[in-house]
Amino acid sequence: MKDRRAVPKTDDHRVPGKGRSRHVLISVLLCSWCALSLVAGEEEPQYRNAGSVVRIDGQNRLIVNDVPFFPLAFYGPSDDEGLAKIAAAGYNTVLCYGFGLLPEPDEAREFLDRAQNHGLWVIYSLKDHYPDNKRYAKTLESLGLPKDTTNTELARIRHVEPLKDHPALLAWYIADEFVPLNSETHPHRRDYMLALQKMVHEVDPNHPTKCVTNHKWSKPPQYIGVTDIVTADPYPIPQEPLQSVADYVQELREGVSPDMPVWLCVQAFDRGIYNGVGNNREPTFSEIRCMTYLGLTHGVNGIMYYSFADLMRRAGRQNENPLNFRRRWAQMKCIAPELQTLS
């Protein structure tokens, strides 16, 4: 059993790891991975002019065209303005839900082009390619495809084959927060997911698959063999202690294959946006930093933040609020440069 480090105090606004503890933290991070120097500040490598080749090495790191790479990603937009903000803040990867089912391949390619122009990598979403998804049947109807079109056929024809050689492609996002795989309500989810995984490996062996899971719904062993990368999204604020982030990362690490990378998706939104106001609130910046460092000190191989759009919203206020976004984005812009100082 790995040691579980104490949770930094959330009312302490100092950078976690200053003084002696800073040297300990740096040692831990550098022993776990050595790719953080690619988060920001590096020149645009020449290999971005050709199709990317992404693999996973023996330390569970991403190796992008033979260079170690640590993803620092945002669930984000697809427009130029939003992508420019994410890139300027030092993040290096984006995942956009708006691309996956309906967009034409040309529209998707234009999105990847925009991301590449801003120096960003794309984790492309296939998460809605499941016949038990409400949008799936409507998509087949709108495209004039037979009702018995399989999820793998749709994903292969419209997305994987047309986009697999794009130089900005980093990985394929094949599942998002499933209820327990093969549960009574969704008895075939694991089968569908496995079919997507196999299809991607056959059509595009140069890019891994990844998924996100919440420990309340799916147990770690269920993901062995159906994804290359698994991501934890505990989202504890405000119902659970911050320590639960470290606990779940460790549970996930110990529950999946030793050669499967484990990433962390950090809560950067008010849960009340999705499940009512109640006692929900947005995480403080200290809490977001704390969750980030809990993931890093427990050996995650990538960090994601959810989400760019929700920085504009608060529980009970669904309309976008530019003032709220400016306040919160000013905080989020500090994270990548801070992590860069540890490389």
Side-chain angles (χ1 to χ4, degrees), residues 178-198:
F178 275 173
V179 296
L181 300 184
N182 290 358
S183 66
E184 292 183 4
T185 55
H186 297 81
H188 303 297
R189 275 287 173 95
R190 194 178 192 281
D191 297 332
Y192 295 146
M193 190 173 173
L194 179 60
L196 268 182
Q197 165 88 342
K198 288 182 176 179

Side-chain angles (χ1 to χ4, degrees), residues 199-252:
M199 180 275 293
V200 170
H201 281 182
E202 291 171 0
V203 177
D204 181 17
N206 291 328
H207 298 96
T209 61
K210 77 174 292 290
C211 75
V212 161
T213 176
N214 187 295
H215 66 298
K216 295 176 182 178
W217 299 331
S218 295
K219 295 303 179 182
Q222 294 176 310
Y223 290 94
I224 297 175
V226 296
T227 184
D228 298 317
I229 301 164
V230 64
T231 304
D233 67 347
Y235 298 162
I237 306 301
Q239 287 86 357
E240 299 177 39
L242 286 171
Q243 179 64 36
S244 64
V245 172
D247 292 342
Y248 185 43
V249 167
Q250 184 160 316
E251 177 187 346
L252 199 55

Side-chain angles (χ1 to χ4, degrees), residues 141-184:
E141 182 179 355
S142 67
L143 296 174
L145 296 174
K147 293 182 179 180
D148 60 353
T149 301
T150 67
N151 64 321
T152 54
E153 287 179 292
L154 183 63
R156 177 179 59 81
I157 294 170
R158 292 185 57 79
H159 303 287
V160 180
E161 286 186 341
L163 302 176
K164 65 185 178 67
D165 293 322
H166 196 284
L169 181 64
L170 185 72
W172 299 100
Y173 189 60
I174 62 171
D176 181 86
E177 287 190 337
F178 275 173
V179 296
L181 300 184
N182 290 358
S183 66
E184 292 183 4

Side-chain angles (χ1 to χ4, degrees), residues 17 21-31 341-343:
S21 61
R22 175 183 174 87
H23 296 293
V24 174
L25 178 59
I26 292 174
S27 297
V28 171
L29 299 183
L30 292 181
C31 287
T341 66
L342 299 177
S343 62

